[in-house]
Amino acid sequence: MEKQYVIGVDLGGTKISTALAELNGNILSENTIPTNAKYGEEAVLSRIIYAIERILEVTGKKVDEIKAIGIGSPGPLDSKKGVIIETPNIPFKNFQLVRPIEDRFEIPTYLENDANAAAIGEFMFGAGKNTRNMVYITVSTGIGAGAIVEGRIYRGNTCNALELGHSTILPDGPRCNCGNYGCLEVLSSGTAIARVANEHLKAGADSSLKNYEVVTSYEVFQEAKKGDKLSLDVLNKCLQYLGIGIANIITIMDPEVVVLGGGVSLAGDIVFDRVNKVVGERCFKVLRENCRVVPAALGKQSGVVGSVALAIMESLEDK
Amino acid sequence: MEKQYVIGVDLGGTKISTALAELNGNILSENTIPTNAKYGEEAVLSRIIYAIERILEVTGKKVDEIKAIGIGSPGPLDSKKGVIIETPNIPFKNFQLVRPIEDRFEIPTYLENDANAAAIGEFMFGAGKNTRNMVYITVSTGIGAGAIVEGRIYRGNTCNALELGHSTILPDGPRCNCGNYGCLEVLSSGTAIARVANEHLKAGADSSLKNYEVVTSYEVFQEAKKGDKLSLDVLNKCLQYLGIGIANIITIMDPEVVVLGGGVSLAGDIVFDRVNKVVGERCFKVLRENCRVVPAALGKQSGVVGSVALAIMESLEDK
């Protein structure tokens, strides 16, 4: 039977989103179920298998019509071996995720960290379409990234390349969760923006942010747009570091486009104007003139579209 | 006639080194002539052609026994087009270097920036042998770098990838020649080590470096090894930044090995001990445990062996 569909699974700490799509990326059906992470790794595996069974049933497709399954998951993981090494919010520990799914469905199954999967999604169906060399960066609670090099996902030796969020931008900066100091993530993630704003508020700074009970990066962006000086100062500083991180990745990887996704990027011009200014100041002319920094196109769909794209890309490469 | 040789040309500001080698890298003959840069770009081109003619004559090889010519040159350049965009010490300006050489000899000719050529040399015949993913960094007057990804040179979109020396390590650091502030190069090249030492001497610091009329990085390393406190402090700081630059490239590219060459690396353990300590502190465990930082193996031969290796690699890929 001709295999003309793929399945994408976006595995998260609280929910599993699954889609069945045509080979052009067109999604025919999608479902979302709770991960039930607290019941342990075998339970999560059963949930994934259940989600796949259900989407086959709903769409009336047969196992031998499916070309590949792509799974995007938090890492670190070993995509070559199909093993999740560890994740902060799901109970996997050196867990072989791919083999039992391949055994159950007899469909080639590919595992990739979620930032890489989202990068593939933006590359095939989003803001990176029609490029060959692209870097995707997601800035929300943390900072993740993935790169496409000559049309293929760039993994590195241990499958842990593009940990851009943990490159050092400020050697004597604040301590990051990873143990290092002055990582990009601890300087300019959404969490960092909120932390810096709250530190200033605690120290007695005057600001319209005082009117909120809880200040997250969302409130900082809102008040900055209304002209609040503290909010503007905080963003100015945090986004300068983000600009430096992006300038550094352009300097090292020389991509055609940097696609910026995640919650922070949704704030729009205020982010892109600042980042582009810093990139312009810090990059070689030939590099900055040939690389655009653009917003991601897939938004909240980036996870599940990324997993679908992963399945399509991998099954094409294996042919 | 079977093509079983290649020619490598290492183009520098003062001299041109040319070698004829077998396809296993074994060099049969080598010559070095002055670049005569002051006579202009056409004159330099004639010098290269002359060097190639002479090595063919000396070895008695015929043009149709040569599989490829590789040229390593300072950049920035466009290796896809065979054009040198600009170099600080040679008068090239958007100069088409490859075509006239191909026209003259009818041998496929490949141009690559010198750091990339040296990276290919170390990958094929030096400290990167038997790896698939390698980063080469040369630290001397400046800092250059090149990467091998899955056995191929990594160029990027504009052929200017791996400008690691101009990634930002210290956002408010000293101004670099490139116009940016706090680049790796301005913090930890040989030139930077000498500059920082001389600044301290000028400010009246006590040090055995006072006994030298001219203090370069060489003297700083010498006196550090004898225990001079100022020299040790200067190296400690400059090499910390080098370690951060290396930690960042490991975090982003996830290579199997980082090969460190150039004058500064010749100082040996004092460099590698410090760099490895910083990498250990700043990199994810899985990354640092799977990547070694090792000295380059080719030393002063890196330029010409790199050009030979470039010719071999490119001619194999084109088959």
Side-chain angles (χ1 to χ4, degrees):
Chain A
M1 197 172 255
E2 209 186 341
K3 294 178 193 302
Q4 39 191 335
Y5 306 103
V6 295
I7 292 173
V9 179
D10 178 33
L11 177 59
T14 54
K15 56 187 173 43
I16 299 169
S17 293
T18 304
L20 188 143
E22 298 173 315
L23 295 185
N24 62 6
N26 183 33
I27 289 177
L28 300 182
S29 179
E30 198 175 336
N31 67 47
T32 296
I33 59 172
T35 307
N36 288 359
K38 63 182 172 184
Y39 298 115
E41 48 192 7
E42 288 294 343
V44 175
L45 170 61
S46 318
R47 297 295 286 171
I48 296 172
I49 289 175
Y50 168 74
I52 295 170
E53 283 169 344
R54 214 175 75 169
I55 210 155
L56 286 168
E57 198 185 308
V58 167
T59 56
K61 304 300 175 200
K62 298 200 175 52
V63 160
D64 49 8
E65 289 177 276
I66 311 296
K67 213 170 162 57
I69 298 171
I71 305 175
S73 162
L77 49 77
D78 185 329
S79 56
K80 290 170 195 162
K81 292 185 185 152
V83 168
I84 297 184
I85 296 169
E86 206 176 351
T87 73
N89 303 313
I90 315 178
F92 292 129
K93 194 100 189 176
N94 293 313
F95 188 72
Q96 173 53 258
L97 182 69
V98 164
R99 206 176 307 134
I101 294 174
E102 284 192 327
D103 287 349
R104 168 68 185 79
F105 297 104
E106 297 188 338
I107 300 170
T109 301
Y110 304 95
L111 176 69
E112 199 59 69
N113 83 53
D114 42 13
N116 280 1
I120 299 173
E122 290 289 342
F123 171 70
M124 293 184 78
F125 305 116
K129 243 162 65 175
N130 304 321
T131 69
R132 297 284 293 162
N133 295 285
M134 185 201 96
V135 172
Y136 169 79
I137 304 173
T138 171
V139 184
S140 50
T141 13
I143 294 184
I148 305 290
V149 171
E150 297 299 333
R152 301 180 60 180
I153 188 75
Y154 180 79
R155 292 202 178 91
N157 181 42
T158 71
C159 302
N160 285 287
L162 271 294
E163 278 292 355
L164 183 64
H166 299 286
S167 64
T168 302
I169 302 292
L170 191 66
D172 296 320
R175 191 181 169 95
C176 180
N177 284 334
C178 75
N180 183 21
Y181 292 84
C183 289
L184 179 60
E185 179 166 300
V186 79
L187 296 170
S188 47
S189 61
T191 315
I193 292 170
R195 188 196 68 238
V196 175
N198 281 301
E199 281 168 6
H200 280 96
L201 290 173
K202 225 177 198 170
D206 189 36
S207 164
S208 55
L209 288 171
K210 284 182 180 169
N211 302 325
Y212 296 92
E213 215 161 297
V214 176
V215 171
T216 71
S217 60
Y218 180 81
E219 286 75 32
V220 179
F221 278 112
Q222 288 307 305
E223 294 308 306
K225 284 174 186 172
K226 292 183 208 154
D228 177 53
K229 192 175 171 307
L230 175 68
S231 300
L232 284 166
D233 288 350
V234 168
L235 287 183
N236 210 32
K237 199 73 194 164
C238 292
L239 294 174
Q240 186 205 348
Y241 294 125
L242 181 59
I244 292 174
I246 293 175
N248 282 355
I249 199 76
I250 294 173
T251 300
I252 289 170
M253 299 207 74
D254 186 8
E256 289 170 69
V257 62
V258 173
V259 175
L260 203 54
V264 166
S265 73
L266 298 178
D269 286 349
I270 194 169
V271 172
F272 288 87
D273 289 351
R274 180 73 177 137
V275 161
N276 276 312
K277 183 169 181 291
V278 176
V279 167
E281 288 163 359
R282 293 193 178 262
C283 274
F284 273 12
K285 202 174 157 220
V286 57
L287 290 170
R288 71 171 181 256
E289 283 179 352
N290 289 286
C291 183
R292 296 161 298 129
V293 182
V294 302
L298 300 175
K300 290 192 172 162
Q301 284 291 87
S302 73
V304 71
V305 173
S307 308
V308 162
L310 165 67
I312 296 170
M313 179 183 272
E314 292 287 5
S315 63
L316 290 176
E317 272 183 20
D318 275 4
K319 269 220 307 213
Chain B
M1 198 171 256
E2 209 186 340
K3 294 178 195 299
Q4 38 191 336
Y5 307 102
V6 295
I7 291 174
V9 179
D10 178 33
L11 177 60
T14 55
K15 56 187 175 44
I16 300 169
S17 293
T18 304
L20 189 143
E22 298 173 315
L23 296 184
N24 61 6
N26 182 33
I27 290 177
L28 300 182
S29 179
E30 198 175 337
N31 68 48
T32 297
I33 60 173
T35 306
N36 288 359
K38 63 182 171 184
Y39 297 115
E41 48 193 6
E42 288 294 343
V44 175
L45 171 61
S46 319
R47 297 295 286 170
I48 296 173
I49 289 176
Y50 169 73
I52 296 171
E53 283 169 344
R54 215 176 75 168
I55 209 155
L56 287 167
E57 198 185 308
V58 166
T59 55
K61 303 300 174 199
K62 299 199 174 53
V63 160
D64 51 8
E65 289 177 276
I66 310 297
K67 213 169 162 58
I69 298 171
I71 304 175
S73 162
L77 48 78
D78 185 329
S79 56
K80 289 170 196 161
K81 292 184 184 151
V83 167
I84 297 185
I85 296 169
E86 206 177 352
T87 73
N89 303 313
I90 316 179
F92 292 129
K93 194 98 189 177
N94 293 312
F95 188 71
Q96 173 54 256
L97 183 69
V98 163
R99 207 176 307 133
I101 295 174
E102 284 191 327
D103 287 348
R104 167 68 185 79
F105 297 103
E106 298 189 337
I107 300 170
T109 301
Y110 304 95
L111 176 69
E112 199 58 70
N113 83 54
D114 42 15
N116 279 1
I120 299 173
E122 290 288 342
F123 171 70
M124 292 184 78
F125 305 116
K129 243 162 64 174
N130 304 320
T131 69
R132 298 283 294 163
N133 296 284
M134 185 201 96
V135 172
Y136 168 80
I137 304 173
T138 171
V139 184
S140 49
T141 16
I143 294 185
I148 305 290
V149 170
E150 296 299 332
R152 302 181 58 181
I153 189 73
Y154 180 80
R155 291 203 179 90
N157 181 41
T158 71
C159 302
N160 286 286
L162 272 293
E163 279 291 355
L164 183 65
H166 300 285
S167 64
T168 302
I169 302 293
L170 191 66
D172 296 320
R175 191 181 169 96
C176 179
N177 284 334
C178 76
N180 184 20
Y181 293 83
C183 288
L184 180 59
E185 179 166 298
V186 80
L187 297 170
S188 48
S189 61
T191 315
I193 292 170
R195 187 195 70 239
V196 175
N198 281 301
E199 281 168 5
H200 280 96
L201 290 173
K202 224 177 199 170
D206 190 34
S207 163
S208 54
L209 288 172
K210 284 183 181 168
N211 303 325
Y212 297 92
E213 215 162 295
V214 176
V215 171
T216 70
S217 61
Y218 181 80
E219 286 75 32
V220 180
F221 278 112
Q222 288 307 306
E223 294 308 306
K225 284 174 186 171
K226 292 183 208 154
D228 176 54
K229 192 175 171 305
L230 176 67
S231 300
L232 284 166
D233 287 350
V234 169
L235 287 183
N236 209 32
K237 199 71 193 166
C238 292
L239 295 174
Q240 186 206 349
Y241 294 125
L242 181 59
I244 291 174
I246 293 175
N248 282 357
I249 199 75
I250 294 174
T251 300
I252 289 169
M253 299 207 72
D254 186 9
E256 288 169 70
V257 62
V258 173
V259 175
L260 204 53
V264 166
S265 73
L266 298 178
D269 286 351
I270 194 169
V271 173
F272 288 86
D273 289 351
R274 181 72 178 139
V275 161
N276 276 312
K277 183 168 179 292
V278 175
V279 167
E281 287 163 0
R282 293 193 177 263
C283 273
F284 274 12
K285 202 174 157 219
V286 57
L287 289 169
R288 70 171 183 257
E289 283 179 351
N290 288 287
C291 182
R292 296 161 297 129
V293 182
V294 303
L298 301 176
K300 289 190 174 165
Q301 286 291 88
S302 74
V304 71
V305 173
S307 308
V308 162
L310 166 66
I312 297 170
M313 181 183 271
E314 292 287 4
S315 63
L316 289 176
E317 272 183 19
D318 274 5
K319 269 219 307 212

